[in-house]
mmCIF file of all heavy atoms in Angstrom:
data_model
loop_
_atom_site.group_PDB
_atom_site.id
_atom_site.type_symbol
_atom_site.label_atom_id
_atom_site.label_comp_id
_atom_site.label_asym_id
_atom_site.label_seq_id
_atom_site.Cartn_x
_atom_site.Cartn_y
_atom_site.Cartn_z
ATOM 1 N N VAL A 269 98.158 28.341 -73.810
ATOM 2 C CA VAL A 269 97.512 27.036 -73.626
ATOM 3 C C VAL A 269 96.466 26.866 -74.741
ATOM 4 O O VAL A 269 96.803 26.969 -75.917
ATOM 5 C CB VAL A 269 96.884 26.918 -72.214
ATOM 6 C CG1 VAL A 269 96.701 25.459 -71.826
ATOM 7 C CG2 VAL A 269 97.779 27.576 -71.146
ATOM 8 N N LEU A 270 95.221 26.653 -74.397
ATOM 9 C CA LEU A 270 94.170 26.443 -75.397
ATOM 10 C C LEU A 270 93.740 27.768 -76.026
ATOM 11 O O LEU A 270 93.428 28.732 -75.325
ATOM 12 C CB LEU A 270 92.957 25.772 -74.733
ATOM 13 C CG LEU A 270 91.684 25.688 -75.574
ATOM 14 C CD1 LEU A 270 91.858 24.704 -76.724
ATOM 15 C CD2 LEU A 270 90.491 25.299 -74.710
ATOM 16 N N ARG A 271 93.713 27.798 -77.353
ATOM 17 C CA ARG A 271 93.212 28.970 -78.066
ATOM 18 C C ARG A 271 91.905 28.629 -78.765
ATOM 19 O O ARG A 271 91.790 27.585 -79.401
ATOM 20 C CB ARG A 271 94.229 29.449 -79.108
ATOM 21 C CG ARG A 271 95.481 30.059 -78.494
ATOM 22 C CD ARG A 271 96.473 30.481 -79.553
ATOM 23 N NE ARG A 271 97.733 30.913 -78.959
ATOM 24 C CZ ARG A 271 98.874 31.015 -79.617
ATOM 25 N NH1 ARG A 271 98.922 30.705 -80.916
ATOM 26 N NH2 ARG A 271 99.972 31.418 -79.007
ATOM 27 N N THR A 272 90.951 29.532 -78.657
ATOM 28 C CA THR A 272 89.694 29.357 -79.379
ATOM 29 C C THR A 272 89.872 29.907 -80.796
ATOM 30 O O THR A 272 90.845 30.616 -81.092
ATOM 31 C CB THR A 272 88.554 30.102 -78.676
ATOM 32 O OG1 THR A 272 88.793 31.523 -78.773
ATOM 33 C CG2 THR A 272 88.463 29.699 -77.205
ATOM 34 N N GLU A 273 88.930 29.593 -81.667
ATOM 35 C CA GLU A 273 88.976 30.142 -83.027
ATOM 36 C C GLU A 273 88.929 31.663 -82.978
ATOM 37 O O GLU A 273 89.569 32.346 -83.779
ATOM 38 C CB GLU A 273 87.808 29.583 -83.848
ATOM 39 C CG GLU A 273 87.939 28.102 -84.165
ATOM 40 C CD GLU A 273 86.806 27.593 -85.024
ATOM 41 O OE1 GLU A 273 85.735 28.245 -85.054
ATOM 42 O OE2 GLU A 273 86.967 26.538 -85.679
ATOM 43 N N GLU A 274 88.179 32.185 -82.038
ATOM 44 C CA GLU A 274 88.084 33.641 -81.853
ATOM 45 C C GLU A 274 89.436 34.217 -81.438
ATOM 46 O O GLU A 274 89.848 35.281 -81.921
ATOM 47 C CB GLU A 274 87.018 33.945 -80.795
ATOM 48 C CG GLU A 274 86.640 35.401 -80.660
ATOM 49 C CD GLU A 274 85.507 35.595 -79.672
ATOM 50 O OE1 GLU A 274 85.803 35.677 -78.443
ATOM 51 O OE2 GLU A 274 84.355 35.643 -80.107
ATOM 52 N N ASP A 275 90.156 33.526 -80.556
ATOM 53 C CA ASP A 275 91.492 33.957 -80.130
ATOM 54 C C ASP A 275 92.456 34.004 -81.315
ATOM 55 O O ASP A 275 93.225 34.958 -81.465
ATOM 56 C CB ASP A 275 92.057 33.009 -79.068
ATOM 57 C CG ASP A 275 91.353 33.135 -77.731
ATOM 58 O OD1 ASP A 275 90.928 34.250 -77.397
ATOM 59 O OD2 ASP A 275 91.229 32.115 -77.041
ATOM 60 N N VAL A 276 92.426 32.960 -82.134
ATOM 61 C CA VAL A 276 93.341 32.875 -83.270
ATOM 62 C C VAL A 276 93.066 33.997 -84.265
ATOM 63 O O VAL A 276 93.996 34.614 -84.806
ATOM 64 C CB VAL A 276 93.220 31.499 -83.960
ATOM 65 C CG1 VAL A 276 94.013 31.477 -85.262
ATOM 66 C CG2 VAL A 276 93.715 30.394 -83.026
ATOM 67 N N THR A 277 91.795 34.294 -84.502
ATOM 68 C CA THR A 277 91.431 35.376 -85.429
ATOM 69 C C THR A 277 91.983 36.713 -84.941
ATOM 70 O O THR A 277 92.572 37.478 -85.710
ATOM 71 C CB THR A 277 89.897 35.469 -85.572
ATOM 72 O OG1 THR A 277 89.402 34.234 -86.087
ATOM 73 C CG2 THR A 277 89.514 36.605 -86.516
ATOM 74 N N LYS A 278 91.831 36.998 -83.660
ATOM 75 C CA LYS A 278 92.341 38.246 -83.091
ATOM 76 C C LYS A 278 93.870 38.276 -83.127
ATOM 77 O O LYS A 278 94.471 39.313 -83.420
ATOM 78 C CB LYS A 278 91.853 38.405 -81.652
ATOM 79 C CG LYS A 278 90.354 38.649 -81.533
ATOM 80 C CD LYS A 278 89.941 38.779 -80.064
ATOM 81 C CE LYS A 278 88.459 39.027 -79.932
ATOM 82 N NZ LYS A 278 88.032 39.118 -78.495
ATOM 83 N N LEU A 279 94.486 37.140 -82.838
ATOM 84 C CA LEU A 279 95.938 37.071 -82.791
ATOM 85 C C LEU A 279 96.554 37.309 -84.170
ATOM 86 O O LEU A 279 97.596 37.968 -84.292
ATOM 87 C CB LEU A 279 96.369 35.707 -82.242
ATOM 88 C CG LEU A 279 97.845 35.506 -81.903
ATOM 89 C CD1 LEU A 279 98.278 36.491 -80.822
ATOM 90 C CD2 LEU A 279 98.099 34.079 -81.435
ATOM 91 N N ARG A 280 95.911 36.809 -85.193
ATOM 92 C CA ARG A 280 96.450 36.938 -86.555
ATOM 93 C C ARG A 280 96.406 38.384 -87.061
ATOM 94 O O ARG A 280 97.108 38.725 -88.006
ATOM 95 C CB ARG A 280 95.674 36.029 -87.506
ATOM 96 C CG ARG A 280 96.078 34.559 -87.374
ATOM 97 C CD ARG A 280 95.195 33.653 -88.206
ATOM 98 N NE ARG A 280 95.224 33.996 -89.613
ATOM 99 C CZ ARG A 280 96.194 33.627 -90.470
ATOM 100 N NH1 ARG A 280 97.211 32.891 -90.034
ATOM 101 N NH2 ARG A 280 96.133 33.973 -91.747
ATOM 102 N N ARG A 281 95.628 39.220 -86.426
ATOM 103 C CA ARG A 281 95.548 40.622 -86.844
ATOM 104 C C ARG A 281 96.827 41.392 -86.545
ATOM 105 O O ARG A 281 97.177 42.337 -87.247
ATOM 106 C CB ARG A 281 94.367 41.305 -86.133
ATOM 107 C CG ARG A 281 92.997 40.811 -86.581
ATOM 108 C CD ARG A 281 91.909 41.414 -85.722
ATOM 109 N NE ARG A 281 90.602 40.840 -86.055
ATOM 110 C CZ ARG A 281 89.512 41.007 -85.297
ATOM 111 N NH1 ARG A 281 89.587 41.734 -84.176
ATOM 112 N NH2 ARG A 281 88.371 40.468 -85.657
ATOM 113 N N HIS A 282 97.545 40.966 -85.485
ATOM 114 C CA HIS A 282 98.776 41.686 -85.137
ATOM 115 C C HIS A 282 99.998 40.769 -85.054
ATOM 116 O O HIS A 282 101.085 41.198 -84.687
ATOM 117 C CB HIS A 282 98.598 42.430 -83.804
ATOM 118 C CG HIS A 282 98.217 41.555 -82.644
ATOM 119 N ND1 HIS A 282 99.125 40.849 -81.923
ATOM 120 C CD2 HIS A 282 96.998 41.284 -82.105
ATOM 121 C CE1 HIS A 282 98.506 40.175 -80.964
ATOM 122 N NE2 HIS A 282 97.208 40.413 -81.051
ATOM 123 N N ASN A 283 99.791 39.484 -85.384
ATOM 124 C CA ASN A 283 100.916 38.557 -85.389
ATOM 125 C C ASN A 283 100.870 37.726 -86.674
ATOM 126 O O ASN A 283 100.110 36.764 -86.794
ATOM 127 C CB ASN A 283 100.852 37.631 -84.161
ATOM 128 C CG ASN A 283 102.052 36.697 -84.051
ATOM 129 O OD1 ASN A 283 102.861 36.602 -84.971
ATOM 130 N ND2 ASN A 283 102.167 36.011 -82.935
ATOM 131 N N GLY A 284 101.711 38.121 -87.619
ATOM 132 C CA GLY A 284 101.714 37.457 -88.921
ATOM 133 C C GLY A 284 102.154 36.016 -88.867
ATOM 134 O O GLY A 284 101.884 35.233 -89.786
ATOM 135 N N ASN A 285 102.852 35.627 -87.784
ATOM 136 C CA ASN A 285 103.338 34.248 -87.658
ATOM 137 C C ASN A 285 102.283 33.303 -87.093
ATOM 138 O O ASN A 285 102.470 32.080 -87.102
ATOM 139 C CB ASN A 285 104.589 34.208 -86.757
ATOM 140 C CG ASN A 285 105.770 34.924 -87.394
ATOM 141 O OD1 ASN A 285 105.959 34.862 -88.597
ATOM 142 N ND2 ASN A 285 106.551 35.612 -86.576
ATOM 143 N N ALA A 286 101.190 33.862 -86.584
ATOM 144 C CA ALA A 286 100.137 33.022 -86.003
ATOM 145 C C ALA A 286 99.486 32.177 -87.096
ATOM 146 O O ALA A 286 99.127 32.683 -88.161
ATOM 147 C CB ALA A 286 99.093 33.895 -85.315
ATOM 148 N N THR A 287 99.336 30.883 -86.826
ATOM 149 C CA THR A 287 98.772 29.953 -87.801
ATOM 150 C C THR A 287 97.266 29.845 -87.639
ATOM 151 O O THR A 287 96.755 29.740 -86.512
ATOM 152 C CB THR A 287 99.398 28.551 -87.618
ATOM 153 O OG1 THR A 287 100.814 28.662 -87.674
ATOM 154 C CG2 THR A 287 98.936 27.606 -88.701
ATOM 155 N N GLU A 288 96.555 29.866 -88.756
ATOM 156 C CA GLU A 288 95.096 29.797 -88.702
ATOM 157 C C GLU A 288 94.631 28.470 -88.115
ATOM 158 O O GLU A 288 93.713 28.419 -87.300
ATOM 159 C CB GLU A 288 94.513 29.978 -90.107
ATOM 160 C CG GLU A 288 92.992 30.025 -90.117
ATOM 161 C CD GLU A 288 92.431 30.299 -91.495
ATOM 162 O OE1 GLU A 288 93.230 30.413 -92.451
ATOM 163 O OE2 GLU A 288 91.202 30.402 -91.618
ATOM 164 N N ASN A 289 95.278 27.381 -88.519
ATOM 165 C CA ASN A 289 94.944 26.071 -87.969
ATOM 166 C C ASN A 289 95.971 25.719 -86.900
ATOM 167 O O ASN A 289 96.770 24.797 -87.038
ATOM 168 C CB ASN A 289 94.930 25.011 -89.073
ATOM 169 C CG ASN A 289 94.282 23.710 -88.608
ATOM 170 O OD1 ASN A 289 93.558 23.684 -87.617
ATOM 171 N ND2 ASN A 289 94.558 22.638 -89.316
ATOM 172 N N SER A 290 95.945 26.454 -85.807
ATOM 173 C CA SER A 290 96.925 26.300 -84.739
ATOM 174 C C SER A 290 96.701 25.019 -83.952
ATOM 175 O O SER A 290 95.559 24.601 -83.708
ATOM 176 C CB SER A 290 96.843 27.504 -83.796
ATOM 177 O OG SER A 290 97.600 27.290 -82.633
ATOM 178 N N CYS A 291 97.798 24.400 -83.517
ATOM 179 C CA CYS A 291 97.708 23.216 -82.647
ATOM 180 C C CYS A 291 97.020 23.560 -81.329
ATOM 181 O O CYS A 291 96.398 22.700 -80.698
ATOM 182 C CB CYS A 291 99.102 22.666 -82.358
ATOM 183 S SG CYS A 291 100.007 22.100 -83.808
ATOM 184 N N HIS A 292 97.117 24.823 -80.922
ATOM 185 C CA HIS A 292 96.519 25.260 -79.662
ATOM 186 C C HIS A 292 94.988 25.166 -79.680
ATOM 187 O O HIS A 292 94.355 25.197 -78.624
ATOM 188 C CB HIS A 292 96.929 26.697 -79.356
ATOM 189 C CG HIS A 292 98.356 26.860 -78.938
ATOM 190 N ND1 HIS A 292 98.793 26.591 -77.659
ATOM 191 C CD2 HIS A 292 99.451 27.267 -79.631
ATOM 192 C CE1 HIS A 292 100.099 26.820 -77.582
ATOM 193 N NE2 HIS A 292 100.520 27.236 -78.763
ATOM 194 N N LEU A 293 94.406 25.046 -80.856
ATOM 195 C CA LEU A 293 92.946 24.970 -80.970
ATOM 196 C C LEU A 293 92.375 23.668 -80.420
ATOM 197 O O LEU A 293 91.184 23.578 -80.137
ATOM 198 C CB LEU A 293 92.538 25.103 -82.444
ATOM 199 C CG LEU A 293 92.652 26.501 -83.065
ATOM 200 C CD1 LEU A 293 92.627 26.398 -84.581
ATOM 201 C CD2 LEU A 293 91.521 27.389 -82.567
ATOM 202 N N TYR A 294 93.221 22.654 -80.273
ATOM 203 C CA TYR A 294 92.733 21.313 -79.945
ATOM 204 C C TYR A 294 92.949 20.917 -78.486
ATOM 205 O O TYR A 294 92.635 19.791 -78.099
ATOM 206 C CB TYR A 294 93.395 20.299 -80.873
ATOM 207 C CG TYR A 294 93.105 20.585 -82.334
ATOM 208 C CD1 TYR A 294 93.979 21.375 -83.089
ATOM 209 C CD2 TYR A 294 91.955 20.090 -82.941
ATOM 210 C CE1 TYR A 294 93.706 21.655 -84.425
ATOM 211 C CE2 TYR A 294 91.676 20.358 -84.273
ATOM 212 C CZ TYR A 294 92.559 21.154 -85.018
ATOM 213 O OH TYR A 294 92.278 21.428 -86.336
ATOM 214 N N GLY A 295 93.517 21.813 -77.679
ATOM 215 C CA GLY A 295 93.703 21.511 -76.259
ATOM 216 C C GLY A 295 94.823 20.533 -75.964
ATOM 217 O O GLY A 295 94.893 19.981 -74.869
ATOM 218 N N THR A 296 95.690 20.329 -76.930
ATOM 219 C CA THR A 296 96.786 19.361 -76.793
ATOM 220 C C THR A 296 98.142 20.031 -76.661
ATOM 221 O O THR A 296 99.152 19.346 -76.466
ATOM 222 C CB THR A 296 96.842 18.474 -78.047
ATOM 223 O OG1 THR A 296 96.975 19.327 -79.196
ATOM 224 C CG2 THR A 296 95.586 17.646 -78.194
ATOM 225 N N THR A 297 98.164 21.344 -76.777
ATOM 226 C CA THR A 297 99.424 22.058 -76.984
ATOM 227 C C THR A 297 99.588 23.191 -75.985
ATOM 228 O O THR A 297 98.611 23.866 -75.624
ATOM 229 C CB THR A 297 99.461 22.624 -78.424
ATOM 230 O OG1 THR A 297 99.253 21.541 -79.341
ATOM 231 C CG2 THR A 297 100.780 23.300 -78.730
ATOM 232 N N PHE A 298 100.820 23.396 -75.541
ATOM 233 C CA PHE A 298 101.116 24.514 -74.639
ATOM 234 C C PHE A 298 102.544 24.984 -74.882
ATOM 235 O O PHE A 298 103.364 24.259 -75.447
ATOM 236 C CB PHE A 298 100.917 24.112 -73.169
ATOM 237 C CG PHE A 298 101.606 22.838 -72.769
ATOM 238 C CD1 PHE A 298 102.919 22.849 -72.312
ATOM 239 C CD2 PHE A 298 100.947 21.618 -72.843
ATOM 240 C CE1 PHE A 298 103.565 21.674 -71.938
ATOM 241 C CE2 PHE A 298 101.576 20.435 -72.472
ATOM 242 C CZ PHE A 298 102.877 20.464 -72.022
ATOM 243 N N ASP A 299 102.821 26.216 -74.465
ATOM 244 C CA ASP A 299 104.149 26.810 -74.602
ATOM 245 C C ASP A 299 104.734 27.058 -73.219
ATOM 246 O O ASP A 299 104.048 27.570 -72.325
ATOM 247 C CB ASP A 299 104.088 28.149 -75.349
ATOM 248 C CG ASP A 299 103.586 28.000 -76.783
ATOM 249 O OD1 ASP A 299 103.620 26.884 -77.304
ATOM 250 O OD2 ASP A 299 103.157 29.018 -77.362
ATOM 251 N N ILE A 300 106.005 26.699 -73.042
ATOM 252 C CA ILE A 300 106.739 26.996 -71.813
ATOM 253 C C ILE A 300 107.912 27.889 -72.180
ATOM 254 O O ILE A 300 108.726 27.527 -73.030
ATOM 255 C CB ILE A 300 107.258 25.713 -71.137
ATOM 256 C CG1 ILE A 300 106.087 24.831 -70.675
ATOM 257 C CG2 ILE A 300 108.148 26.061 -69.943
ATOM 258 C CD1 ILE A 300 106.514 23.542 -70.003
ATOM 259 N N CYS A 301 107.997 29.058 -71.562
ATOM 260 C CA CYS A 301 109.095 29.967 -71.901
ATOM 261 C C CYS A 301 110.389 29.467 -71.265
ATOM 262 O O CYS A 301 110.375 28.835 -70.208
ATOM 263 C CB CYS A 301 108.788 31.398 -71.487
ATOM 264 S SG CYS A 301 108.700 31.699 -69.731
ATOM 265 N N TYR A 302 111.503 29.757 -71.926
ATOM 266 C CA TYR A 302 112.794 29.273 -71.421
ATOM 267 C C TYR A 302 113.670 30.389 -70.859
ATOM 268 O O TYR A 302 114.783 30.131 -70.410
ATOM 269 C CB TYR A 302 113.551 28.497 -72.505
ATOM 270 C CG TYR A 302 113.737 29.205 -73.833
ATOM 271 C CD1 TYR A 302 114.560 30.317 -73.961
ATOM 272 C CD2 TYR A 302 113.102 28.734 -74.980
ATOM 273 C CE1 TYR A 302 114.737 30.946 -75.176
ATOM 274 C CE2 TYR A 302 113.278 29.346 -76.210
ATOM 275 C CZ TYR A 302 114.094 30.455 -76.311
ATOM 276 O OH TYR A 302 114.267 31.077 -77.524
ATOM 277 N N ASN A 303 113.177 31.622 -70.851
ATOM 278 C CA ASN A 303 113.994 32.726 -70.340
ATOM 279 C C ASN A 303 113.413 33.382 -69.084
ATOM 280 O O ASN A 303 113.934 34.386 -68.609
ATOM 281 C CB ASN A 303 114.210 33.784 -71.423
ATOM 282 C CG ASN A 303 112.912 34.172 -72.115
ATOM 283 O OD1 ASN A 303 111.830 33.952 -71.577
ATOM 284 N ND2 ASN A 303 113.020 34.735 -73.305
ATOM 285 N N ARG A 304 112.336 32.819 -68.547
ATOM 286 C CA ARG A 304 111.758 33.320 -67.296
ATOM 287 C C ARG A 304 111.289 32.134 -66.452
ATOM 288 O O ARG A 304 110.766 31.160 -66.981
ATOM 289 C CB ARG A 304 110.557 34.247 -67.557
ATOM 290 C CG ARG A 304 110.910 35.569 -68.173
ATOM 291 C CD ARG A 304 109.697 36.494 -68.218
ATOM 292 N NE ARG A 304 108.647 36.009 -69.104
ATOM 293 C CZ ARG A 304 107.416 35.696 -68.717
ATOM 294 N NH1 ARG A 304 107.060 35.793 -67.431
ATOM 295 N NH2 ARG A 304 106.519 35.270 -69.595
ATOM 296 N N TYR A 305 111.449 32.257 -65.115
ATOM 297 C CA TYR A 305 111.019 31.208 -64.191
ATOM 298 C C TYR A 305 110.513 31.866 -62.914
ATOM 299 O O TYR A 305 110.915 32.976 -62.569
ATOM 300 C CB TYR A 305 112.180 30.257 -63.861
ATOM 301 C CG TYR A 305 112.744 29.583 -65.088
ATOM 302 C CD1 TYR A 305 113.702 30.220 -65.881
ATOM 303 C CD2 TYR A 305 112.301 28.328 -65.478
ATOM 304 C CE1 TYR A 305 114.204 29.626 -67.024
ATOM 305 C CE2 TYR A 305 112.788 27.724 -66.624
ATOM 306 C CZ TYR A 305 113.744 28.383 -67.389
ATOM 307 O OH TYR A 305 114.222 27.794 -68.532
ATOM 308 N N GLU A 306 109.635 31.182 -62.204
ATOM 309 C CA GLU A 306 109.122 31.710 -60.941
ATOM 310 C C GLU A 306 109.851 31.036 -59.780
ATOM 311 O O GLU A 306 109.834 29.813 -59.652
ATOM 312 C CB GLU A 306 107.617 31.458 -60.826
ATOM 313 C CG GLU A 306 107.031 32.078 -59.561
ATOM 314 C CD GLU A 306 105.572 31.698 -59.351
ATOM 315 O OE1 GLU A 306 105.298 30.506 -59.116
ATOM 316 O OE2 GLU A 306 104.727 32.598 -59.404
ATOM 317 N N THR A 307 110.476 31.843 -58.942
ATOM 318 C CA THR A 307 111.206 31.311 -57.789
ATOM 319 C C THR A 307 110.239 30.810 -56.730
ATOM 320 O O THR A 307 109.250 31.468 -56.415
ATOM 321 C CB THR A 307 112.108 32.402 -57.173
ATOM 322 O OG1 THR A 307 112.947 32.939 -58.179
ATOM 323 C CG2 THR A 307 112.953 31.832 -56.058
ATOM 324 N N VAL A 308 110.520 29.646 -56.197
ATOM 325 C CA VAL A 308 109.709 29.079 -55.112
ATOM 326 C C VAL A 308 110.389 29.431 -53.802
ATOM 327 O O VAL A 308 111.516 29.016 -53.544
ATOM 328 C CB VAL A 308 109.600 27.545 -55.252
ATOM 329 C CG1 VAL A 308 108.813 26.961 -54.086
ATOM 330 C CG2 VAL A 308 108.939 27.181 -56.571
ATOM 331 N N GLU A 309 109.698 30.211 -52.973
ATOM 332 C CA GLU A 309 110.296 30.614 -51.696
ATOM 333 C C GLU A 309 109.218 30.863 -50.661
ATOM 334 O O GLU A 309 108.046 31.089 -50.992
ATOM 335 C CB GLU A 309 111.164 31.858 -51.866
ATOM 336 C CG GLU A 309 110.459 33.060 -52.464
ATOM 337 C CD GLU A 309 111.420 34.209 -52.715
ATOM 338 O OE1 GLU A 309 112.571 34.132 -52.282
ATOM 339 O OE2 GLU A 309 111.009 35.183 -53.356
#
């Protein structure tokens, strides 16, 4: 969901694909995984 500048800095240390100016920094962006779901029961 929302990433802070501090989060992005830490993430870039072990994830080369992480973007410094991430869309997640602005509170407008989120990721939904497509290979896992939570069953409602």
Side-chain angles (χ1 to χ4, degrees):
V269 202
L270 170 70
R271 290 178 187 162
T272 67
E273 291 182 339
E274 190 176 84
D275 289 327
V276 172
T277 300
K278 292 179 180 178
L279 189 61
R280 283 174 59 81
R281 291 173 186 167
H282 57 83
N283 184 351
N285 294 323
T287 306
E288 184 176 2
N289 193 18
S290 170
C291 298
H292 288 280
L293 287 163
Y294 301 92
T296 56
T297 305
F298 50 88
D299 297 341
I300 296 180
C301 67
Y302 53 68
N303 48 20
R304 290 188 294 119
Y305 301 84
E306 184 187 66
T307 306
V308 177
E309 56 185 351

